[in-house]
Amino acid sequence: MLRSTLQFVALLPGCMLPVLAAPSYAVPKQGSIEWKNCTIPLDGAECGKISVPIDYSQPTGRTTTLAMVRAKSNSTTPKGTIFLNPGGPGGSGVELLVGLLQSPTLPGMELLKDYHLIGLDPRGVGQSSPIKCSAKLWNIRVPTMVETEAEYKAMARHWKAVGHSCRMLTGPLFDHLDTTHVVRDFDFVRQAIGEEKFNLVGLSYGTQIAYTYAEMFPQNVGRLLLDGVLDHGQRGIDTVQTESAAFEITLHKFFEWCEGDETCSLHDKGDVQAFFKRLTAKALAKPLDAPNCNQTAEAPCRSSVTLEELITSVQGGLIPGQAQWGALADNLLAASKGDASALSVPYFTGETDPKGSWASLAIGCQDWGRARGFADLRAVQHATNTLSPLTLGYTQSLGYYARCVSWPVKPSNPQQALKKGITHAPPMLLANSFWDPSTSVQWAVSIHEQIPNSVLVFRNGSGHTSYNSPGEIATAMNEFLLEGKLPKEGTVYQN
């Protein structure tokens, strides 16, 4: 679910994936895809675009454009197509597939033995008619945690203004971004490429796309892999607290690792939790300096880091898992010495956001619940501050709950338990790591209970999602995707 959901990129430190500059297209006929060579060399890959209805209740009305990349199977008789979604919401399927093709040792490349792969940018994301907003408004700092009703009203006014700017600049598409529309887009593309069944590797928010598809089109389901499971059925404080607890628990695992491993740059601090508390107290008193960040750099970032931004960046630093926690330790140590640049957040300068934060909020506000008022938000804050005293409840879930209170578009796909029709879909595979700072293992268990014909397996490790690196669980996932072989229910993999 988290904003840092281009999972394959996490394996390539410092690697920036190229954005595919789309060639000039004539407007394709609705329901057809025009494939062309990509403008950067990608062996065996081609770029495509398709027009889909903005509002599926008016199928002959206005359209929007979806962008995608396809990698052809190595087989002369491929079994079909597997779609890829990296999550977010706001993650680019195009960038995910490009990163995969540039990293031939990743497990996903094995799928090309029998399947074509498609990385599709969902509507409003990446190269698929991206959300546009006022960067000037978005850059204004307004606390998500509020102490008074006056602060609450100021926050509500701010995000209302941001939302109106996005709606004005984006146009009609802005009102039709919820996951049900995204799912209909995927089915539209499935039909356009002539596939009988829909197969998906869904990471994080991509798991919500997967089971929503199975609810809406159970007869069209092929093989669905749900990795890092998001529970759209939880509501209100339960959602915020579950993610907050997962983050807090994983942070404690980080402390344990750092105190027990001499390679951690914070190892000689002794009590790493105490070090972290001192750093967050310092950020609470005054934003930390980020001297290497400025608003005119090639990748602009803020010249200081608030407490909220610090904790948000820490959650992102935990996402890759223990193998890369050393970078987080280095960044925290640097911040304690006066340079929090590596923990700074983007400063926006254009009318689109290549990181996907704008799309994430615009989509999230149509899918997730929001606070009913100041007292409701304060109750959530009190609960998370008490139960997660180190991370204080700062999560993506809290962002939706607070920032969406006055968003100009109401939820069109509200949180609710899965519909019974999903039981008619073929078996699907669910997977979660135990120490996931973003999508709690509790969510995976909940969704598994709602899909009786699913199999849930676990990885006894840290990090958000498991398909992003070679290991036992990734091997089991590929056996399911390639051969339809499901692992034993409840299997716990060590890597």
Side-chain angles (χ1 to χ4, degrees):
M1 182 179 184
L2 205 69
R3 58 209 70 72
S4 303
T5 46
L6 299 181
Q7 297 303 313
F8 295 125
V9 184
L11 299 174
L12 306 169
C15 175
M16 294 299 292
L17 294 179
V19 175
L20 299 179
S24 176
Y25 283 86
V27 177
K29 294 180 181 179
Q30 189 168 332
S32 65
I33 302 173
E34 184 177 356
W35 297 102
K36 290 193 174 183
N37 291 332
C38 297
T39 56
I40 61 172
L42 287 172
D43 291 341
E46 53 190 355
C47 293
K49 288 199 172 185
I50 189 171
S51 292
V52 298
I54 285 179
D55 181 356
Y56 278 95
S57 69
Q58 300 180 34
T60 60
R62 294 183 179 184
T63 62
T64 189
T65 302
L66 303 179
M68 68 197 81
V69 170
R70 177 169 66 178
K72 290 289 192 71
S73 172
N74 302 323
S75 172
T76 56
T77 55
K79 296 178 179 178
T81 297
I82 295 177
F83 289 82
L84 308 175
N85 183 271
S92 166
V94 167
E95 289 192 9
L96 179 60
L97 181 51
V98 170
L100 181 63
L101 293 172
Q102 294 177 338
S103 307
T105 61
L106 293 178
M109 288 295 286
E110 188 178 345
L111 302 178
L112 289 172
K113 290 193 306 183
D114 289 322
Y115 287 89
H116 305 310
L117 298 179
I118 287 183
L120 171 70
D121 280 356
R123 55 174 57 205
V125 173
Q127 298 175 48
S128 293
S129 306
I131 297 301
K132 299 179 180 179
C133 299
S134 166
K136 181 179 179 180
L137 283 174
W138 199 286
N139 286 330
I140 298 173
R141 274 178 167 150
V142 177
T144 303
M145 294 288 194
V146 296
E147 299 291 334
T148 66
E149 190 159 6
E151 289 182 352
Y152 172 82
K153 290 179 178 178
M155 181 199 66
R157 286 194 301 269
H158 169 72
W159 289 108
K160 182 178 182 179
V162 170
H164 278 298
S165 81
C166 302
R167 193 179 201 182
M168 180 183 68
L169 292 170
T170 303
L173 175 65
F174 187 73
D175 289 1
H176 304 283
L177 297 169
D178 67 75
T179 302
T180 62
H181 273 83
V182 172
V183 162
R184 290 186 183 279
D185 288 343
F186 273 104
D187 197 60
F188 198 96
V189 175
R190 176 195 64 81
Q191 295 178 64
I193 60 176
E195 294 287 3
E196 180 182 355
K197 297 297 181 181
F198 176 69
N199 308 299
L200 175 70
V201 173
L203 309 178
S204 192
Y205 166 72
T207 66
Q208 184 182 335
I209 294 174
Y211 57 67
T212 303
Y213 187 98
E215 284 185 295
M216 296 174 64
F217 304 108
Q219 72 281 3
N220 298 336
V221 170
R223 293 171 186 169
L224 302 182
L225 168 63
L226 288 68
D227 181 14
V229 185
L230 180 64
D231 185 0
H232 189 239
Q234 271 196 329
R235 299 186 184 185
I237 188 174
D238 294 334
T239 302
V240 179
Q241 182 52 42
T242 302
E243 184 183 354
S244 178
F247 178 13
E248 184 98 357
I249 291 168
T250 307
L251 183 61
H252 280 286
K253 296 296 289 186
F254 168 76
F255 295 153
E256 291 176 14
W257 166 77
C258 218
E259 290 170 5
D261 192 323
E262 294 183 356
T263 65
C264 174
S265 57
L266 298 175
H267 180 73
D268 61 359
K269 297 295 180 182
D271 189 341
V272 181
Q273 179 174 321
F275 163 85
F276 184 79
K277 287 181 177 179
R278 290 193 298 271
L279 184 60
T280 54
K282 185 177 179 181
L284 176 61
K286 180 184 176 182
L288 305 175
D289 291 333
N292 293 324
C293 285
N294 60 71
Q295 300 170 8
T296 58
E298 183 177 345
C301 49
R302 293 186 179 275
S303 57
S304 63
V305 179
T306 65
L307 175 63
E308 180 173 346
E309 293 163 356
L310 171 64
I311 294 178
T312 299
S313 295
V314 169
Q315 188 179 22
L318 292 173
I319 278 179
Q322 183 175 309
Q324 296 187 47
W325 280 354
L328 174 59
D330 294 345
N331 294 338
L332 291 172
L333 180 61
S336 72
K337 294 180 177 180
D339 185 1
S341 302
L343 299 169
S344 181
V345 299
Y347 183 89
F348 300 101
T349 57
E351 65 175 10
T352 60
D353 164 29
K355 299 293 185 181
S357 300
W358 298 0
S360 177
L361 187 63
I363 296 166
C365 286
Q366 294 182 38
D367 268 6
W368 296 87
R370 54 193 69 175
R372 293 168 293 179
F374 171 65
D376 188 25
L377 183 57
R378 283 296 289 164
V380 171
Q381 292 176 188
H382 285 313
T384 54
N385 285 194
T386 300
L387 298 174
S388 303
L390 297 175
T391 56
L392 302 172
Y394 285 117
T395 58
Q396 189 173 4
S397 300
L398 178 69
Y400 293 152
Y401 201 69
R403 295 174 180 178
C404 297
V405 292
S406 55
W407 199 251
V409 183
K410 299 298 181 184
S412 48
N413 180 39
Q415 292 167 257
Q416 57 186 332
L418 296 182
K419 297 180 178 64
K420 292 183 179 180
I422 199 170
T423 59
H424 300 299
M428 57 193 76
L429 178 60
L430 282 60
N432 229 89
S433 66
F434 285 143
W435 317 113
D436 186 327
S438 180
T439 53
S440 170
V441 69
Q442 179 179 333
W443 283 346
V445 172
S446 173
I447 290 296
H448 176 48
E449 289 176 349
Q450 296 175 63
I451 310 176
N453 55 343
S454 64
V455 170
L456 172 60
V457 296
F458 306 95
R459 179 169 57 84
N460 184 22
S462 58
H464 181 42
T465 74
S466 301
Y467 193 60
N468 57 355
S469 60
E472 295 175 353
I473 194 168
T475 298
M477 291 173 176
N478 275 348
E479 287 179 351
F480 166 67
L481 292 166
L482 290 167
E483 304 168 22
K485 179 182 177 182
L486 283 163
K488 182 180 178 181
E489 170 66 40
T491 301
V492 178
Y493 297 94
Q494 298 304 313
N495 60 46

